[in-house]
Amino acid sequence: MKVDIITIFPRMVEAGLAEGVVGRARTSGLIDIAVHNLRDFTTDKHHVVDDVPFGGGPGMVMKPEPFFAALAHIREHRGVPDAVVMLTPAGTPLTQAGARRLVGVSHIVLLCGRYEGIDERVREALATEELSIGDYVLSGGEIAALAVVDAVARLVPGVVGDEQSVDGDSFTRGLLDYPHYTRPAEYEGRQVPGVLLSGHHGEIRRWRRQAALERTVERRPELLADAALDADEHEWLSKRSKS
Ligand code: 9D3
């Protein structure tokens, strides 16, 4: 998987890509990510990337020319990308299904905006899609680009060592996670649930499944529509909703 990221804050993006699972995937050659400084594609003495909005209004707009020049550079030196993704609050919200789709795209370019946004002609002529990472206001697209790369990279085979932890086990897929514990068995008067110390693997699986179901119904009941529940669980849920 090849990714190119265009940004005015390349050090911020490089710092986020250097650590953890993504950092290891890069150094081991499982993913090829290049970060490009948008200012390197300006032609004026002061490397200006923004200008005032036509029609007036607050803030500044990112100029189109540096994005076109950066894309030309990528096509020449890195190949013709399969997708050019603009990160914008007006984009399609990123989901796990969206991350699974993108891991099937061999070469992706991510365009990060700052200020009030990017000149519309960049979207029209260069972008193949627009993504948001959720309904809250960020200061720019860089953190969103890192979220996209992180969500997609961990789906590349071999990037996450334990394949089971990539999508959850079949038992809890579609539900929120169950609570996790490690040693010590008692900490500041708080006990680890006894069933987890029992060694009864069937009971442990049932306890975790039930805990995941309870958390999901309390916190994110809308997720239950797409979760695979068995007959007992449907019955438990309908009894619970009557109380
Ligand atoms: C006043 C209208 N604002 C749009 C909601 C202006 C505006 C806010 C934030 C324009 C740009 C930005 C910068 N945000 C991003 O570039 C961004 C983003 C986000 O803010 N939230 C969630 N996902 C994303 S992806 C890119």
Side-chain angles (χ1 to χ4, degrees):
M1 138 147 295
K2 194 190 290 189
V3 180
D4 289 89
I5 305 174
I6 302 173
T7 171
I8 64 166
F9 293 127
R11 288 175 303 180
M12 173 184 176
V13 173
E14 287 285 7
L17 296 173
E19 308 291 337
V21 159
V22 172
R24 195 160 3 96
R26 275 184 99 184
T27 56
S28 72
L30 284 170
I31 53 178
D32 170 9
I33 311 180
V35 182
H36 307 272
N37 186 349
L38 187 68
R39 291 192 197 278
D40 292 345
F41 300 95
T42 56
T43 54
D44 64 305
K45 187 168 75 174
H46 297 290
H47 303 287
V48 173
V49 295
D50 62 335
D51 203 344
V52 295
F54 273 122
M60 299 293 274
V61 174
M62 297 190 85
K63 294 162 61 62
E65 303 93 321
F67 283 102
F68 280 78
L71 246 302
H73 170 91
I74 288 166
R75 284 194 206 97
E76 185 173 331
H77 293 93
R78 302 268 295 162
V80 178
D82 305 294
V84 177
V85 178
M86 206 166 109
L87 285 319
T88 156
T92 307
L94 179 67
T95 59
Q96 191 60 28
R100 280 193 292 265
R101 174 181 62 82
L102 287 175
V103 76
V105 178
S106 305
H107 183 188
I108 302 172
V109 174
L110 301 176
L111 309 179
C112 302
R114 283 270 151 177
Y115 317 112
E116 288 306 300
I118 304 175
D119 186 282
E120 183 66 7
R121 290 159 295 185
V122 172
R123 186 190 66 73
E124 289 174 358
L126 300 180
T128 61
E129 58 186 287
E130 296 167 78
L131 287 180
S132 159
I133 61 163
D135 292 338
Y136 41 84
V137 180
L138 300 172
S139 308
E142 286 76 12
I143 285 173
L146 289 170
V148 171
V149 168
D150 195 274
V152 174
R154 62 191 300 289
L155 300 179
V156 171
V159 166
V160 171
D162 180 359
E163 286 299 315
Q164 250 208 353
S165 68
V166 169
D167 247 346
D169 46 48
S170 60
F171 236 58
T172 52
R173 206 175 297 145
L175 298 177
L176 297 182
D177 219 350
Y178 50 78
H180 300 275
Y181 295 89
T182 185
R183 290 180 287 185
E186 184 194 329
Y187 182 68
E188 296 201 340
R190 297 169 191 273
Q191 294 282 350
V192 173
V195 60
L196 300 179
L197 314 176
S198 70
H200 295 129
H201 300 295
E203 278 182 49
I204 291 169
R205 284 162 69 84
R206 273 191 297 283
W207 181 88
R208 285 177 169 168
R209 176 81 188 179
Q210 183 63 26
L213 188 55
E214 283 174 18
R215 277 193 162 182
T216 307
V217 71
E218 281 297 330
R219 300 181 187 188
R220 299 289 306 282
E222 77 280 9
L223 296 182
L224 293 171
D226 292 328
L229 304 183
D230 66 22
D232 283 357
E233 289 163 344
H234 277 294
E235 190 186 309
W236 178 83
L237 267 181
S238 77
K239 279 184 179 154
R240 185 186 182 283
S241 64
K242 284 169 199 149
S243 73

Short mmCIF file of all heavy atoms in Angstrom, two decimals, residues 163-218:
data_model
loop_
_atom_site.label_atom_id
_atom_site.label_comp_id
_atom_site.label_asym_id
_atom_site.label_seq_id
_atom_site.Cartn_x
_atom_site.Cartn_y
_atom_site.Cartn_z
N GLU A 163 -3.76 -11.34 14.19
CA GLU A 163 -4.87 -11.09 13.26
C GLU A 163 -6.22 -11.02 13.99
O GLU A 163 -7.11 -10.30 13.57
CB GLU A 163 -4.93 -12.19 12.18
CG GLU A 163 -3.85 -12.05 11.12
CD GLU A 163 -3.92 -10.72 10.34
OE1 GLU A 163 -5.01 -10.31 9.93
OE2 GLU A 163 -2.86 -10.10 10.18
N GLN A 164 -6.34 -11.75 15.11
CA GLN A 164 -7.60 -11.74 15.87
C GLN A 164 -7.93 -10.36 16.42
O GLN A 164 -9.10 -9.99 16.50
CB GLN A 164 -7.53 -12.73 17.04
CG GLN A 164 -8.43 -13.92 16.82
CD GLN A 164 -8.90 -14.51 18.13
OE1 GLN A 164 -8.48 -14.13 19.21
NE2 GLN A 164 -9.81 -15.45 18.03
N SER A 165 -6.89 -9.61 16.77
CA SER A 165 -7.17 -8.31 17.38
C SER A 165 -7.48 -7.24 16.33
O SER A 165 -7.81 -6.12 16.67
CB SER A 165 -6.00 -7.88 18.28
OG SER A 165 -4.87 -7.62 17.50
N VAL A 166 -7.38 -7.58 15.04
CA VAL A 166 -7.65 -6.60 13.99
C VAL A 166 -9.14 -6.27 13.94
O VAL A 166 -9.53 -5.11 13.88
CB VAL A 166 -7.15 -7.09 12.62
CG1 VAL A 166 -7.67 -6.19 11.51
CG2 VAL A 166 -5.64 -7.10 12.60
N ASP A 167 -9.99 -7.29 13.94
CA ASP A 167 -11.43 -7.05 13.78
C ASP A 167 -12.22 -7.56 14.99
O ASP A 167 -13.43 -7.67 14.93
CB ASP A 167 -11.94 -7.72 12.51
CG ASP A 167 -12.38 -6.69 11.48
OD1 ASP A 167 -12.52 -5.51 11.86
OD2 ASP A 167 -12.58 -7.07 10.32
N GLY A 168 -11.55 -7.86 16.09
CA GLY A 168 -12.24 -8.47 17.22
C GLY A 168 -12.51 -9.93 16.90
O GLY A 168 -12.50 -10.30 15.74
N ASP A 169 -12.74 -10.77 17.87
CA ASP A 169 -13.10 -12.14 17.54
C ASP A 169 -14.56 -12.18 17.11
O ASP A 169 -15.31 -11.24 17.32
CB ASP A 169 -12.78 -13.11 18.68
CG ASP A 169 -13.24 -12.60 20.03
OD1 ASP A 169 -14.40 -12.17 20.10
OD2 ASP A 169 -12.45 -12.64 20.98
N SER A 170 -14.95 -13.26 16.46
CA SER A 170 -16.30 -13.37 15.90
C SER A 170 -17.34 -13.19 17.00
O SER A 170 -18.48 -12.85 16.75
CB SER A 170 -16.47 -14.73 15.25
OG SER A 170 -16.27 -15.74 16.22
N PHE A 171 -16.89 -13.40 18.25
CA PHE A 171 -17.78 -13.36 19.39
C PHE A 171 -18.29 -11.98 19.73
O PHE A 171 -19.41 -11.82 20.16
CB PHE A 171 -17.05 -13.96 20.60
CG PHE A 171 -17.82 -15.08 21.17
CD1 PHE A 171 -18.13 -16.16 20.37
CD2 PHE A 171 -18.28 -15.03 22.46
CE1 PHE A 171 -18.89 -17.19 20.87
CE2 PHE A 171 -19.04 -16.06 22.96
CZ PHE A 171 -19.34 -17.14 22.17
N THR A 172 -17.47 -10.96 19.56
CA THR A 172 -17.86 -9.62 19.99
C THR A 172 -17.91 -8.63 18.84
O THR A 172 -18.13 -7.45 19.05
CB THR A 172 -16.89 -9.10 21.07
OG1 THR A 172 -15.58 -9.23 20.58
CG2 THR A 172 -17.06 -9.87 22.35
N ARG A 173 -17.72 -9.10 17.59
CA ARG A 173 -17.74 -8.20 16.44
C ARG A 173 -19.09 -7.48 16.36
O ARG A 173 -20.14 -8.09 16.53
CB ARG A 173 -17.50 -9.01 15.16
CG ARG A 173 -16.89 -8.21 14.04
CD ARG A 173 -16.57 -9.08 12.84
NE ARG A 173 -15.58 -10.10 13.17
CZ ARG A 173 -15.58 -11.34 12.65
NH1 ARG A 173 -16.54 -11.71 11.83
NH2 ARG A 173 -14.64 -12.19 12.97
N GLY A 174 -19.05 -6.19 16.13
CA GLY A 174 -20.29 -5.43 16.03
C GLY A 174 -20.76 -4.87 17.36
O GLY A 174 -21.66 -4.06 17.39
N LEU A 175 -20.13 -5.32 18.46
CA LEU A 175 -20.45 -4.80 19.79
C LEU A 175 -19.27 -3.98 20.30
O LEU A 175 -18.16 -4.09 19.80
CB LEU A 175 -20.71 -5.95 20.78
CG LEU A 175 -21.87 -6.88 20.48
CD1 LEU A 175 -21.93 -8.01 21.51
CD2 LEU A 175 -23.19 -6.12 20.45
N LEU A 176 -19.50 -3.16 21.32
CA LEU A 176 -18.38 -2.51 22.01
C LEU A 176 -17.56 -3.58 22.72
O LEU A 176 -18.04 -4.69 22.98
CB LEU A 176 -18.91 -1.48 23.01
CG LEU A 176 -19.69 -0.31 22.42
CD1 LEU A 176 -20.10 0.65 23.53
CD2 LEU A 176 -18.88 0.42 21.35
N ASP A 177 -16.32 -3.24 23.03
CA ASP A 177 -15.41 -4.17 23.68
C ASP A 177 -15.90 -4.50 25.10
O ASP A 177 -16.56 -3.70 25.74
CB ASP A 177 -14.03 -3.53 23.77
CG ASP A 177 -12.90 -4.52 23.50
OD1 ASP A 177 -13.18 -5.74 23.44
OD2 ASP A 177 -11.76 -4.06 23.37
N TYR A 178 -15.54 -5.68 25.55
CA TYR A 178 -15.78 -6.06 26.95
C TYR A 178 -14.66 -5.47 27.82
O TYR A 178 -13.62 -5.06 27.29
CB TYR A 178 -15.83 -7.59 27.10
CG TYR A 178 -14.67 -8.31 26.47
CD1 TYR A 178 -13.42 -8.37 27.11
CD2 TYR A 178 -14.80 -8.95 25.25
CE1 TYR A 178 -12.35 -9.03 26.54
CE2 TYR A 178 -13.73 -9.61 24.66
CZ TYR A 178 -12.51 -9.64 25.30
OH TYR A 178 -11.45 -10.27 24.74
N PRO A 179 -14.84 -5.39 29.16
CA PRO A 179 -13.78 -4.84 30.03
C PRO A 179 -12.56 -5.76 30.08
O PRO A 179 -12.71 -7.00 30.07
CB PRO A 179 -14.44 -4.78 31.42
CG PRO A 179 -15.90 -4.93 31.18
CD PRO A 179 -16.05 -5.73 29.93
N HIS A 180 -11.39 -5.16 30.12
CA HIS A 180 -10.12 -5.91 30.18
C HIS A 180 -9.48 -5.74 31.54
O HIS A 180 -9.59 -4.68 32.16
CB HIS A 180 -9.17 -5.39 29.11
CG HIS A 180 -9.69 -5.54 27.73
ND1 HIS A 180 -9.57 -6.70 27.00
CD2 HIS A 180 -10.40 -4.69 26.95
CE1 HIS A 180 -10.16 -6.55 25.83
NE2 HIS A 180 -10.68 -5.33 25.77
N TYR A 181 -8.81 -6.78 32.01
CA TYR A 181 -8.08 -6.76 33.28
C TYR A 181 -6.74 -7.46 33.12
O TYR A 181 -6.63 -8.40 32.34
CB TYR A 181 -8.87 -7.51 34.37
CG TYR A 181 -10.19 -6.89 34.75
CD1 TYR A 181 -11.35 -7.24 34.07
CD2 TYR A 181 -10.28 -5.97 35.79
CE1 TYR A 181 -12.58 -6.68 34.41
CE2 TYR A 181 -11.50 -5.41 36.14
CZ TYR A 181 -12.65 -5.77 35.45
OH TYR A 181 -13.85 -5.21 35.79
N THR A 182 -5.75 -6.97 33.89
CA THR A 182 -4.51 -7.72 34.03
C THR A 182 -4.13 -7.72 35.51
O THR A 182 -4.91 -7.28 36.36
CB THR A 182 -3.40 -7.12 33.13
OG1 THR A 182 -2.24 -7.96 33.20
CG2 THR A 182 -3.05 -5.69 33.56
N ARG A 183 -2.96 -8.28 35.85
CA ARG A 183 -2.56 -8.34 37.25
C ARG A 183 -2.33 -6.94 37.82
O ARG A 183 -1.97 -6.03 37.06
CB ARG A 183 -1.28 -9.19 37.38
CG ARG A 183 -1.56 -10.66 37.12
CD ARG A 183 -0.32 -11.48 37.24
NE ARG A 183 0.59 -11.25 36.10
CZ ARG A 183 1.72 -11.92 35.89
NH1 ARG A 183 2.12 -12.86 36.74
NH2 ARG A 183 2.48 -11.66 34.85
N PRO A 184 -2.51 -6.71 39.11
CA PRO A 184 -2.86 -7.70 40.14
C PRO A 184 -4.36 -8.00 40.19
O PRO A 184 -5.17 -7.20 39.74
CB PRO A 184 -2.42 -7.01 41.44
CG PRO A 184 -2.57 -5.56 41.16
CD PRO A 184 -2.22 -5.37 39.70
N ALA A 185 -4.72 -9.15 40.76
CA ALA A 185 -6.11 -9.59 40.84
C ALA A 185 -6.94 -8.69 41.76
O ALA A 185 -8.15 -8.61 41.62
CB ALA A 185 -6.18 -11.04 41.32
N GLU A 186 -6.26 -8.01 42.72
CA GLU A 186 -6.94 -6.97 43.50
C GLU A 186 -6.07 -5.73 43.47
O GLU A 186 -4.85 -5.81 43.70
CB GLU A 186 -7.14 -7.40 44.96
CG GLU A 186 -7.93 -6.33 45.73
CD GLU A 186 -7.88 -6.51 47.25
OE1 GLU A 186 -7.76 -7.66 47.71
OE2 GLU A 186 -7.94 -5.47 47.95
N TYR A 187 -6.67 -4.57 43.18
CA TYR A 187 -5.92 -3.32 43.15
C TYR A 187 -6.74 -2.23 43.82
O TYR A 187 -7.87 -1.97 43.40
CB TYR A 187 -5.60 -2.92 41.70
CG TYR A 187 -4.77 -1.65 41.65
CD1 TYR A 187 -3.45 -1.67 42.12
CD2 TYR A 187 -5.29 -0.47 41.17
CE1 TYR A 187 -2.68 -0.52 42.12
CE2 TYR A 187 -4.53 0.68 41.16
CZ TYR A 187 -3.21 0.65 41.62
OH TYR A 187 -2.46 1.79 41.62
N GLU A 188 -6.19 -1.65 44.87
CA GLU A 188 -6.85 -0.61 45.65
C GLU A 188 -8.28 -1.01 46.00
O GLU A 188 -9.23 -0.23 45.85
CB GLU A 188 -6.80 0.73 44.91
CG GLU A 188 -5.36 1.20 44.74
CD GLU A 188 -5.22 2.70 44.48
OE1 GLU A 188 -6.20 3.32 44.06
OE2 GLU A 188 -4.12 3.22 44.73
N GLY A 189 -8.42 -2.25 46.42
CA GLY A 189 -9.72 -2.76 46.86
C GLY A 189 -10.64 -3.19 45.74
O GLY A 189 -11.76 -3.62 46.01
N ARG A 190 -10.19 -3.08 44.50
CA ARG A 190 -11.04 -3.45 43.36
C ARG A 190 -10.60 -4.81 42.84
O ARG A 190 -9.45 -5.00 42.47
CB ARG A 190 -10.92 -2.41 42.24
CG ARG A 190 -11.42 -1.04 42.64
CD ARG A 190 -11.03 -0.01 41.59
NE ARG A 190 -11.28 1.34 42.08
CZ ARG A 190 -12.45 1.96 41.97
NH1 ARG A 190 -13.45 1.37 41.36
NH2 ARG A 190 -12.60 3.17 42.47
N GLN A 191 -11.58 -5.72 42.82
CA GLN A 191 -11.32 -7.12 42.44
C GLN A 191 -11.56 -7.34 40.95
O GLN A 191 -12.52 -6.80 40.39
CB GLN A 191 -12.28 -8.05 43.20
CG GLN A 191 -12.08 -8.11 44.71
CD GLN A 191 -10.90 -8.99 45.11
OE1 GLN A 191 -10.34 -9.71 44.28
NE2 GLN A 191 -10.52 -8.93 46.38
N VAL A 192 -10.72 -8.14 40.35
CA VAL A 192 -11.00 -8.64 39.00
C VAL A 192 -12.16 -9.63 39.12
O VAL A 192 -12.17 -10.44 40.05
CB VAL A 192 -9.75 -9.32 38.41
CG1 VAL A 192 -10.07 -10.01 37.09
CG2 VAL A 192 -8.62 -8.31 38.23
N PRO A 193 -13.15 -9.58 38.22
CA PRO A 193 -14.26 -10.54 38.28
C PRO A 193 -13.74 -11.98 38.37
O PRO A 193 -12.88 -12.38 37.58
CB PRO A 193 -15.02 -10.28 36.98
CG PRO A 193 -14.75 -8.84 36.67
CD PRO A 193 -13.33 -8.60 37.13
N GLY A 194 -14.27 -12.72 39.35
CA GLY A 194 -13.77 -14.06 39.64
C GLY A 194 -13.78 -15.00 38.46
O GLY A 194 -12.86 -15.82 38.30
N VAL A 195 -14.77 -14.87 37.59
CA VAL A 195 -14.88 -15.78 36.45
C VAL A 195 -13.63 -15.72 35.57
O VAL A 195 -13.21 -16.74 35.01
CB VAL A 195 -16.16 -15.48 35.62
CG1 VAL A 195 -16.16 -14.07 35.07
CG2 VAL A 195 -16.34 -16.49 34.49
N LEU A 196 -12.98 -14.54 35.50
CA LEU A 196 -11.80 -14.40 34.65
C LEU A 196 -10.59 -15.12 35.22
O LEU A 196 -9.61 -15.38 34.51
CB LEU A 196 -11.47 -12.91 34.42
CG LEU A 196 -12.57 -12.09 33.74
CD1 LEU A 196 -12.13 -10.64 33.59
CD2 LEU A 196 -12.92 -12.69 32.37
N LEU A 197 -10.63 -15.43 36.53
CA LEU A 197 -9.53 -16.16 37.19
C LEU A 197 -9.82 -17.65 37.24
O LEU A 197 -8.99 -18.43 37.69
CB LEU A 197 -9.33 -15.64 38.62
CG LEU A 197 -9.32 -14.12 38.82
CD1 LEU A 197 -9.21 -13.77 40.31
CD2 LEU A 197 -8.17 -13.49 38.05
N SER A 198 -11.00 -18.05 36.80
CA SER A 198 -11.49 -19.42 37.04
C SER A 198 -10.88 -20.45 36.11
O SER A 198 -10.88 -21.63 36.43
CB SER A 198 -13.01 -19.46 36.87
OG SER A 198 -13.36 -19.30 35.49
N GLY A 199 -10.41 -20.00 34.94
CA GLY A 199 -9.92 -20.96 33.94
C GLY A 199 -11.02 -21.67 33.18
O GLY A 199 -10.73 -22.53 32.35
N HIS A 200 -12.29 -21.33 33.44
CA HIS A 200 -13.41 -21.94 32.70
C HIS A 200 -13.67 -21.16 31.42
O HIS A 200 -14.40 -20.16 31.41
CB HIS A 200 -14.69 -21.96 33.57
CG HIS A 200 -14.57 -22.85 34.77
ND1 HIS A 200 -14.89 -22.42 36.05
CD2 HIS A 200 -14.14 -24.12 34.90
CE1 HIS A 200 -14.66 -23.40 36.91
NE2 HIS A 200 -14.21 -24.45 36.23
N HIS A 201 -13.06 -21.61 30.33
CA HIS A 201 -13.03 -20.79 29.10
C HIS A 201 -14.42 -20.55 28.53
O HIS A 201 -14.68 -19.46 28.03
CB HIS A 201 -12.08 -21.41 28.08
CG HIS A 201 -10.68 -21.49 28.62
ND1 HIS A 201 -9.95 -20.36 28.92
CD2 HIS A 201 -9.91 -22.55 28.99
CE1 HIS A 201 -8.77 -20.72 29.42
NE2 HIS A 201 -8.73 -22.04 29.49
N GLY A 202 -15.31 -21.52 28.66
CA GLY A 202 -16.68 -21.32 28.20
C GLY A 202 -17.39 -20.23 28.98
O GLY A 202 -18.04 -19.36 28.40
N GLU A 203 -17.22 -20.26 30.31
CA GLU A 203 -17.85 -19.23 31.16
C GLU A 203 -17.25 -17.86 30.90
O GLU A 203 -17.96 -16.85 30.93
CB GLU A 203 -17.68 -19.58 32.65
CG GLU A 203 -18.69 -20.58 33.16
CD GLU A 203 -18.49 -20.84 34.66
OE1 GLU A 203 -18.40 -19.83 35.41
OE2 GLU A 203 -18.40 -22.01 35.04
N ILE A 204 -15.95 -17.82 30.67
CA ILE A 204 -15.28 -16.54 30.39
C ILE A 204 -15.84 -15.94 29.10
O ILE A 204 -16.16 -14.75 29.05
CB ILE A 204 -13.74 -16.73 30.30
CG1 ILE A 204 -13.19 -17.06 31.69
CG2 ILE A 204 -13.07 -15.49 29.71
CD1 ILE A 204 -11.74 -17.52 31.70
N ARG A 205 -15.98 -16.79 28.07
CA ARG A 205 -16.55 -16.30 26.81
C ARG A 205 -17.96 -15.78 27.02
O ARG A 205 -18.30 -14.71 26.51
CB ARG A 205 -16.57 -17.42 25.75
CG ARG A 205 -15.21 -17.70 25.15
CD ARG A 205 -15.19 -19.06 24.46
NE ARG A 205 -16.02 -19.08 23.25
CZ ARG A 205 -15.60 -18.68 22.05
NH1 ARG A 205 -14.37 -18.18 21.91
NH2 ARG A 205 -16.37 -18.74 20.99
N ARG A 206 -18.79 -16.47 27.76
CA ARG A 206 -20.17 -16.00 28.02
C ARG A 206 -20.18 -14.69 28.78
O ARG A 206 -20.95 -13.78 28.47
CB ARG A 206 -20.97 -17.08 28.77
CG ARG A 206 -21.65 -18.11 27.87
CD ARG A 206 -22.65 -18.98 28.64
NE ARG A 206 -22.03 -19.77 29.69
CZ ARG A 206 -21.33 -20.90 29.48
NH1 ARG A 206 -21.20 -21.37 28.25
NH2 ARG A 206 -20.80 -21.55 30.49
N TRP A 207 -19.30 -14.58 29.82
CA TRP A 207 -19.24 -13.35 30.62
C TRP A 207 -18.85 -12.16 29.75
O TRP A 207 -19.44 -11.08 29.83
CB TRP A 207 -18.25 -13.52 31.78
CG TRP A 207 -18.15 -12.30 32.66
CD1 TRP A 207 -18.93 -12.03 33.75
CD2 TRP A 207 -17.26 -11.20 32.50
NE1 TRP A 207 -18.56 -10.82 34.28
CE2 TRP A 207 -17.54 -10.27 33.53
CE3 TRP A 207 -16.24 -10.90 31.58
CZ2 TRP A 207 -16.84 -9.09 33.69
CZ3 TRP A 207 -15.55 -9.71 31.72
CH2 TRP A 207 -15.86 -8.81 32.77
N ARG A 208 -17.84 -12.36 28.91
CA ARG A 208 -17.37 -11.26 28.04
C ARG A 208 -18.45 -10.85 27.04
O ARG A 208 -18.67 -9.66 26.81
CB ARG A 208 -16.10 -11.69 27.30
CG ARG A 208 -14.89 -11.67 28.22
CD ARG A 208 -13.65 -12.16 27.51
NE ARG A 208 -12.46 -11.90 28.31
CZ ARG A 208 -11.27 -12.41 28.07
NH1 ARG A 208 -11.10 -13.23 27.03
NH2 ARG A 208 -10.25 -12.11 28.84
N ARG A 209 -19.10 -11.83 26.45
CA ARG A 209 -20.16 -11.54 25.49
C ARG A 209 -21.29 -10.74 26.15
O ARG A 209 -21.77 -9.75 25.60
CB ARG A 209 -20.68 -12.86 24.93
CG ARG A 209 -21.84 -12.75 23.99
CD ARG A 209 -21.42 -12.37 22.59
NE ARG A 209 -22.59 -12.09 21.78
CZ ARG A 209 -22.58 -11.72 20.52
NH1 ARG A 209 -21.43 -11.55 19.89
NH2 ARG A 209 -23.69 -11.48 19.87
N GLN A 210 -21.67 -11.16 27.36
CA GLN A 210 -22.73 -10.46 28.09
C GLN A 210 -22.29 -9.04 28.47
O GLN A 210 -23.07 -8.09 28.33
CB GLN A 210 -23.13 -11.26 29.34
CG GLN A 210 -24.27 -10.67 30.14
CD GLN A 210 -25.59 -10.60 29.37
OE1 GLN A 210 -25.82 -11.39 28.44
NE2 GLN A 210 -26.44 -9.63 29.72
N ALA A 211 -21.05 -8.90 28.93
CA ALA A 211 -20.54 -7.56 29.31
C ALA A 211 -20.51 -6.64 28.09
O ALA A 211 -20.87 -5.46 28.18
CB ALA A 211 -19.15 -7.70 29.93
N ALA A 212 -20.09 -7.18 26.94
CA ALA A 212 -20.05 -6.38 25.70
C ALA A 212 -21.46 -5.96 25.30
O ALA A 212 -21.70 -4.81 24.91
CB ALA A 212 -19.39 -7.19 24.58
N LEU A 213 -22.40 -6.87 25.43
CA LEU A 213 -23.80 -6.58 25.08
C LEU A 213 -24.37 -5.49 26.00
O LEU A 213 -25.02 -4.55 25.52
CB LEU A 213 -24.60 -7.88 25.17
CG LEU A 213 -26.04 -7.89 24.68
CD1 LEU A 213 -26.14 -7.42 23.23
CD2 LEU A 213 -26.62 -9.31 24.81
N GLU A 214 -24.11 -5.61 27.31
CA GLU A 214 -24.63 -4.60 28.25
C GLU A 214 -24.04 -3.23 27.98
O GLU A 214 -24.76 -2.21 27.97
CB GLU A 214 -24.34 -5.03 29.70
CG GLU A 214 -25.28 -6.13 30.16
CD GLU A 214 -24.95 -6.70 31.54
OE1 GLU A 214 -24.20 -6.04 32.31
OE2 GLU A 214 -25.42 -7.80 31.85
N ARG A 215 -22.76 -3.17 27.74
CA ARG A 215 -22.12 -1.89 27.42
C ARG A 215 -22.71 -1.29 26.16
O ARG A 215 -22.93 -0.08 26.07
CB ARG A 215 -20.63 -2.10 27.14
CG ARG A 215 -19.81 -2.15 28.34
CD ARG A 215 -18.37 -2.03 27.94
NE ARG A 215 -17.64 -1.66 29.14
CZ ARG A 215 -16.35 -1.42 29.17
NH1 ARG A 215 -15.64 -1.51 28.05
NH2 ARG A 215 -15.77 -1.10 30.28
N THR A 216 -22.91 -2.12 25.16
CA THR A 216 -23.41 -1.63 23.87
C THR A 216 -24.82 -1.08 24.02
O THR A 216 -25.12 0.01 23.51
CB THR A 216 -23.35 -2.73 22.81
OG1 THR A 216 -22.03 -3.28 22.78
CG2 THR A 216 -23.71 -2.18 21.43
N VAL A 217 -25.68 -1.80 24.73
CA VAL A 217 -27.07 -1.33 24.88
C VAL A 217 -27.11 -0.05 25.70
O VAL A 217 -27.92 0.84 25.43
CB VAL A 217 -27.98 -2.44 25.44
CG1 VAL A 217 -27.70 -2.72 26.89
CG2 VAL A 217 -29.44 -2.10 25.24
N GLU A 218 -26.21 0.11 26.67
CA GLU A 218 -26.17 1.33 27.49
C GLU A 218 -25.62 2.53 26.71
O GLU A 218 -26.12 3.64 26.81
CB GLU A 218 -25.29 1.12 28.73
CG GLU A 218 -25.96 0.35 29.85
CD GLU A 218 -27.17 1.07 30.43
OE1 GLU A 218 -27.19 2.33 30.40
OE2 GLU A 218 -28.10 0.37 30.87
#
